[in-house]
C-alpha cells in the first residue's frame, strides 16, 4: 500500500507502454474507411442519386527504413432517374518509400525502439533494487519501533526501581542507619 512502491511499479508499466508504442511502428497497420451519401435535386426532373465508397489498406515500416503501403478502393455512384445509370470505379495503389540519406539505415530507424527497450530494462532493474532497499527500510523501521518500545519499558522499570530505592533510603536514613548524603543522592536519582 506504499505510494513509493506503487509509483515504482507504475514507472515500469509506463516504460513498457512506451516500448509497445515503438514496437507498434514496425507492425503491419491495417485501415479501412466507408463512405455513403445521397443527393436529392428539388428541381423538376433533376437527378437524384446515391454514392458510396469503401477503402482498405495496410502500411508496414521495415527496420531498414523502407515504408510499404498498399490501398484498394471501390467507388459506386448510382443515379436514380429510372434509367438505372451507375458508375463503378476501382482504384488500387501500392508504394514503397526508401530513405536514401536522412533517416536511412537500421540503426537510425530502430534507435527509438532500442532506447525504449533499454529504458524498460533499466526501469525493471531500478524496481528490483528499490524492492530490496524498500524491504530493508520497512524492516529497519519496524525494528526501530520495537527498540523504542524496549527503551520505554526499560525507562519505566528504572523509574519504578528508583522510586522504591528512594523510599527505602528515606526509611533507613530516618532510622539513622544511612547518612543523609545517601538519602539526598537517592532522592536526586
Amino acid at each position: 500500500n506504499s505510494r513509493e512502491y506503487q509509483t515504482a511499479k507504475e514507472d515500469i508499466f509506463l516504460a513498457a507502454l512506451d516500448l509497445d508504442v515503438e514496437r507498434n511502428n514496425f507492425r503491419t497497420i491495417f485501415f479501412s474507411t466507408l463512405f455513403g451519401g445521397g443527393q436529392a435535386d428539388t428541381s423538376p426532373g433533376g437527378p437524384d442519386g446515391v454514392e458510396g465508397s469503401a477503402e482498405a489498406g495496410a502500411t508496414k515500416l521495415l527496420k531498414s527504413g523502407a515504408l510499404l503501403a498498399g490501398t484498394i478502393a471501390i467507388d459506386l455512384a448510382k443515379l436514380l432517374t429510372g434509367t438505372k445509370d451507375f458508375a463503378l470505379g476501382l482504384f488500387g495503389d501500392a508504394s514503397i518509400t526508401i530513405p536514401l540519406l536522412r533517416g536511412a539505415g537500421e540503426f537510425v530507424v530502430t534507435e527509438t525502439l532500442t532506447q525504449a527497450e533499454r529504458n524498460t530494462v533499466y526501469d525493471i532493474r531500478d524496481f528490483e533494487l528499490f524492492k530490496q532497499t524498500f524491504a530493508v527500510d520497512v524492516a529497519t523501521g519496524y525494528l526501530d519501533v520495537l527498540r523504542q518500545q524496549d527503551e520505554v519499558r526499560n525507562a519505566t522499570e528504572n523509574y519504578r526501581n528508583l522510586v522504591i530505592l528512594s523510599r527505602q533510603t528515606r526509611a533507613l536514613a530516618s532510622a539513622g542507619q544511612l547518612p543523609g548524603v545517601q538519602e539526598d543522592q537517592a532522592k536526586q536519582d
Side-chain angles (χ1 to χ4, degrees):
N1 291 331
S2 169
R3 287 181 189 232
E4 293 173 82
Y5 185 82
Q6 294 300 326
T7 300
K9 261 184 18 180
E10 288 171 5
D11 287 343
I12 290 177
F13 182 73
L14 291 174
L17 282 178
D18 289 341
L19 175 60
D20 190 51
V21 166
E22 292 301 325
R23 284 186 177 164
N24 188 53
N25 292 334
F26 295 98
R27 293 184 184 122
T28 302
I29 300 172
F30 296 97
F31 62 89
S32 64
T33 58
L34 293 173
F35 171 77
Q39 176 181 352
D41 194 347
T42 57
S43 65
D48 294 337
V50 291
E51 178 183 355
S53 66
E55 180 180 3
T59 61
K60 172 130 179 112
L61 177 64
L62 303 177
K63 290 189 177 183
S64 65
L67 177 64
L68 307 175
T71 304
I72 189 164
I74 298 174
D75 193 14
L76 173 67
K78 182 171 183 175
L79 298 175
L80 302 175
T81 59
T83 61
K84 299 184 182 177
D85 293 333
F86 72 94
L88 178 64
L90 182 63
F91 171 76
D93 180 38
S95 65
I96 299 175
T97 305
I98 301 173
L100 297 176
L101 296 174
R102 187 175 64 155
E106 184 175 344
F107 293 116
V108 174
V109 174
T110 60
E111 175 63 28
T112 56
L113 175 63
T114 304
Q115 190 60 50
E117 289 171 345
R118 287 178 182 160
N119 289 343
T120 303
V121 170
Y122 297 154
D123 283 344
I124 290 171
R125 186 200 64 207
D126 290 344
F127 182 65
E128 288 301 318
L129 291 173
F130 171 78
K131 283 193 322 187
Q132 292 173 359
T133 58
F134 184 70
V136 169
D137 290 345
V138 168
T140 302
Y142 179 71
L143 293 176
D144 282 345
V145 168
L146 292 178
R147 181 186 50 79
Q148 289 172 354
Q149 283 179 338
D150 285 345
E151 287 177 2
V152 168
R153 193 178 307 116
N154 290 341
T156 303
E157 189 63 32
N158 188 31
Y159 175 73
R160 288 182 188 147
N161 289 337
L162 287 174
V163 168
I164 292 170
L165 180 64
S166 175
R167 289 179 185 161
Q168 289 175 350
T169 307
R170 189 176 336 132
L172 290 174
S174 298
Q177 295 179 351
L178 282 178
V181 173
Q182 286 184 341
E183 178 187 5
D184 290 339
Q185 285 177 346
K187 191 187 278 185
Q188 186 178 12
D189 287 343

